[in-house]
Amino acid sequence: LFSSMITPVILIVLYATFLANVYKDSFVSATKNMIDLPDKIINGTVAAQLAAALLAVSCVTVTFCVNLTMVQDRASGARKDFDVSPVIGYFLSTVLNSLMVNGTALALCLLYILKMGWYMSASDVIFVILDMILLVLFGSTLSSIVSYPLKTQGQLSAVGTIVSAGYGFVCGAYMPISNFSSGMQKALSYLPGTYGTSLVKNHMLNGVYKEMADTGLPSEAVTVIRNTLDCNPVFRGHVVGVPQMYLIMAGSIVVFGAAYLLIIMIRER
């Protein structure tokens, strides 16, 4: 638990230290021609965007750290003579430990938003928790599939490093997908992680968008901001709504979970 907490804690520090100014400058330059927003709204928007990006990445990458136990038992030979734990037990352990780590990270993110500018309602917080659970389940099924064939800790460390370095970019956490080329946007629209990140952003920023509208920002401008921050992802020319995003994430979890069970049945037999 404590070693896995290193990832979100480092991300929080890096995001707040480096990315916050980048996000703020980008947001101010994009909205200065529309309306002069108060600093509290700007800071609240940047904080919510940073928290959403961090949570979207942490929920997936932490599962690869937690899944180290399954590879350790195989590397040490503990599973050569007998099953020290049911294979599904590794998956459930990954889910439970990842929820503890990311639940702590979520609490830290909410405290950061509270300090910078709080506009979230109670329902927004509940939906963010639901989004976190879905992302952890998604990350656990994905990491279980990737980790199951591995036999050494070095292999898992290499995979974990690649995932930690690349996942934030392909899911739109480090930089909004709207800033990518049209070809990259189309390619990334086929990845489930894109919609998981968008779900967290939608609920983290929902109160901010309402506050912008109350301050006199035209609805067209709010829509442009939502599009810029990937809250209205597009798939094959159609905007994907929040209910559809939930279906995509739930379907991905079921598909990856079934694939993991199939791999277990084949390999263990």
Side-chain angles (χ1 to χ4, degrees), residues 19-254:
L19 282 182
N21 291 331
V22 176
Y23 280 9
K24 184 175 182 178
D25 293 341
S26 177
F27 181 74
V28 170
S29 63
T31 59
K32 64 181 180 180
N33 295 328
M34 304 179 192
I35 190 174
D36 290 328
L37 293 172
D39 289 339
K40 185 178 180 181
I41 295 181
I42 295 176
N43 292 333
T45 303
V46 173
Q49 186 181 3
L50 287 173
L54 183 147
L55 196 64
V57 174
S58 178
C59 285
V60 175
T61 55
V62 166
T63 59
F64 282 84
C65 299
V66 176
N67 242 336
L68 182 64
T69 304
M70 179 168 59
V71 182
Q72 283 178 333
D73 286 349
R74 184 175 287 109
S76 65
R79 298 195 64 219
K80 288 183 178 180
D81 299 323
F82 62 94
D83 283 340
V84 294
S85 174
V87 181
I88 298 300
Y90 291 115
F91 172 79
L92 296 178
S93 175
T94 299
V95 172
L96 179 60
N97 284 280
S98 298
L99 286 175
M100 288 192 293
V101 172
N102 289 290
T104 306
L106 174 59
L108 295 175
C109 288
L110 294 179
L111 289 174
Y112 177 65
I113 295 175
L114 181 63
K115 178 182 177 181
M116 301 301 295
W118 181 275
Y119 295 99
M120 298 177 66
S121 63
S123 60
D124 291 333
V125 175
I126 293 173
F127 277 114
V128 169
I129 295 174
L130 176 60
D131 299 337
M132 179 192 70
I133 294 173
L134 282 176
L135 280 168
V136 166
L137 289 172
F138 169 74
S140 297
T141 53
L142 179 62
S143 65
S144 296
I145 293 174
V146 174
S147 302
Y148 187 76
L150 304 181
K151 297 181 179 179
T152 65
Q153 297 181 26
Q155 291 175 345
L156 183 60
S157 298
V159 171
T161 301
I162 294 173
V163 172
S164 298
Y167 182 78
F169 289 99
V170 300
C171 75
Y174 296 152
M175 184 172 67
I177 295 177
S178 59
N179 295 342
F180 293 168
S181 64
S182 58
M184 281 293 295
Q185 292 182 32
K186 291 179 181 178
L188 296 179
S189 67
Y190 286 90
L191 301 180
T194 300
Y195 304 102
T197 304
S198 183
L199 277 173
V200 182
K201 287 184 177 181
N202 267 283
H203 295 128
M204 284 282 193
L205 293 162
N206 186 47
V208 174
Y209 296 142
K210 291 180 180 179
E211 186 67 21
M212 289 180 182
D214 292 340
T215 57
L217 192 65
S219 59
E220 294 82 3
V222 176
T223 301
V224 171
I225 295 174
R226 290 177 62 91
N227 294 339
T228 303
L229 298 181
D230 293 339
C231 290
N232 293 328
V234 177
F235 179 76
R236 298 179 66 89
H238 301 283
V239 176
V240 181
V242 171
Q244 287 77 28
M245 294 185 211
Y246 275 121
L247 289 176
I248 292 172
M249 291 302 297
S252 302
I253 294 170
V254 172

